[in-house]
Amino acid sequence: MNVLGIESSCDETGVAVYDTGAGGLRAHAVYSQIALHAEYGGVVPELASRDHVRKLLPLIRQTLAEAGLSTADIDGVAYTAGPGLVGALLVGAGVARSLAWALDVPAIGVHHMEGHLLAPLIEEDAPQPPFVALLVSGGHTQLVAVEAIGSYRLLGETLDDAAGEAFDKTAKMMGLPYPGGPQLAKLAEQGVPGKFRFSRPMTDRPGLDFSFSGLKTQVLLAWRDSDQSEQTRADIARGFEDAVVDTLAIKCGRALDAAGTDTLIVAGGVGANRRLRAKLVEMCEKRGGRACFPRPALCTDNGAMIAFAGALRLAAGQHDDAAIRAVPRWDMATLAAV
Ligand code: ATP
Ligand code: MG
Ligand code: FE
């Protein structure tokens, strides 16, 4: 079954085709609106919606061409129904649902975070549940116990900033251009470890929640009181990255203990971070388990994860009615089991 996946929850237009048979991920393409929003220093919702309108149909044509398929080969359509920006969601949902109607194939609205969560399973040698998922993106930092696909129990989450948000805001404070997260990580490569040491928030007491906003303030004060040289900026970036990575690793270890498993899957944009990947692999190997990640391009927003998550549900016989669904706020714990 060839499932067309469409992602438009924020500032990336993503399209992919996932084949539940031997074909696997047949093609995927992402158009990022980063340049469009850069001058505003953040995503402008109305501009995002309008750009999805411009980019979505050409991207669908391009992706089908790359897969060597025509619309007649599509057996189902999956789209991001939420959470996200309502106008941006409506663009993808409207196109996806209409296309499914015209082709007379089933459609399904996918939860964006379930898409992120399942992305590691697109890769070779994918683990089977039970496992713990660490979701670290621009809007979420969550630890989720996964008993079965579709059955998600929240173990802990951030009380303030998401990990990706903390990367972006910290980068901005030190004058890096928007969006700063990946650039801060790049800069940290040149930083001297241990030159600046920041706290590992909320690791000194039990619990699986996170808080990253205080860390941001610590960095602000360190940067303000420093010589603000290039090397200092890199040293602070390294200190910040190490604090976030250590904190995430400590909590992941505790979450594995709580869930009684040694398998961790990691997804969301911060999952592309090299030091985080290395640290979590090491932590899991020490306990005789493993940490699994999607390739970096499937950590950030993409259509492949939506095609894949939708394909699992469509293959299990689930689908939606003819309504165009856009759900800006949506709790993953309410999802049906697959
Ligand atoms: P959500 O999925 O919660 O709605 P989102 O879709 O905006 O949020 P993603 O696209 O998954 O988030 O990830 C984007 C985030 O990942 C940004 O905050 C970005 O700074 C961060 N990020 C991307 N690459 C890296 C990296 N190498 N190191 C650290 N952070 C990174
Ligand atoms: Mg984005
Ligand atoms: Fe996302």
Side-chain angles (χ1 to χ4, degrees), residues 70-94:
S70 74
T71 50
D73 300 312
I74 298 173
D75 304 304
V77 181
Y79 63 93
T80 303
L85 302 170
V86 69
L89 289 168
L90 275 168
V91 177

Side-chain angles (χ1 to χ4, degrees), residues 1 74-78 96-97 100 104-108 314 318-320:
M1 180 168 67
I74 298 173
D75 304 304
V77 181
R97 196 65 199 81
D104 197 21
V105 297
I108 190 153
L314 289 169
Q318 299 179 13
H319 61 85
D320 290 345

Side-chain angles (χ1 to χ4, degrees), residues 10-12 34 43 301:
C10 189
D11 61 343
E12 265 89 30
I34 281 175
V43 177
D301 286 350

